[in-house]
């Protein structure tokens, strides 16, 4: 059975598809692509079916990441099949925990930057949508900085299953 991780932001066109793409690359580099499934969604569904924001795509491609994506909305019924639900900011964290059907499901929701030991107290990845391209570049830096810690947590979760 695969270990499943879903990244969630507001519209699923900027931050969460970026995190999905970066983390999928980390999973592949670690040789875990057959053991870990990575996807993303939004707390809202107004962009459902749309591709990622063109600035997200440009920043990802410039950094060597794949960028194929179609936006979708997160549903409470997904909790039962997910191991981790990674929120990109504290607003998403609260919304997802409220949506969780059980306390166990709510415990699956974590902030992405909580996996970055150098993040400090501000664990939100700022929404770059209404700003210039450098906000997307900053978002990528934050996602990349949190990825090693998240990868370690997923590897630990996989080891716990094998035990």
């Amino acid at each position: 059975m695969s270990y499943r991780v879903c990244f969630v932001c507001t519209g699923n066109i900027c931050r969460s598809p970026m995190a999905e793409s970066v983390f999928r690359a980390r999973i592949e580099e670690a040789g875990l692509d057959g053991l870990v499934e990575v996807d993303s969604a939004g707390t809202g569904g107004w962009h459902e079916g749309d591709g990622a924001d063109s600035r997200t795509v440009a920043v990802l491609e410039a950094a060597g990441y794949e960028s194929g994506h179609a936006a979708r909305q997160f549903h409470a019924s997904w909790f039962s099949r997910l191991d981790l639900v990674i929120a990109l900011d504290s607003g998403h964290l609260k919304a997802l925990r409220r949506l969780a059907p059980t306390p166990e499901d709510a415990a699956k929701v974590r902030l992405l930057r909580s996996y970055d030991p150098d993040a400090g107290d501000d664990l939100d990845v700022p929404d770059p949508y209404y700003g210039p391209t450098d906000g997307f570049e900053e978002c990528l830096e934050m996602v990349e900085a949190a990825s090693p810690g998240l990868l370690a947590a997923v590897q630990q979760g996989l080891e716990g299953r094998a035990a």
Side-chain angles (χ1 to χ4, degrees), residues 3 13 25 52 63 72 82 93 97-98 105 117 119 140 155-156:
Y3 193 93
I13 59 169
R72 62 196 187 134
L82 293 168
L93 179 81
R97 286 189 172 160
R98 280 193 306 269
D105 290 327
L140 178 61
Q155 287 172 316
Q156 185 174 11

Side-chain angles (χ1 to χ4, degrees), residues 62-127:
Y65 295 105
E66 292 184 21
S67 61
H69 175 74
R72 62 196 187 134
Q73 182 175 0
F74 189 89
H75 296 279
S77 62
W78 297 1
F79 275 105
S80 64
R81 65 176 176 83
L82 293 168
D83 296 287
L84 279 175
V85 180
I86 305 297
L88 276 291
D89 72 28
S90 55
H92 307 130
L93 179 81
K94 290 174 189 166
L96 289 162
R97 286 189 172 160
R98 280 193 306 269
L99 189 63
T102 68
E104 294 78 19
D105 290 327
K108 295 177 183 180
V109 184
R110 300 282 311 272
L111 281 167
L112 174 65
R113 292 192 72 212
S114 69
Y115 294 98
D116 178 358
D118 298 324
D121 293 333
D122 183 6
L123 299 181
D124 286 353
V125 175
D127 187 352

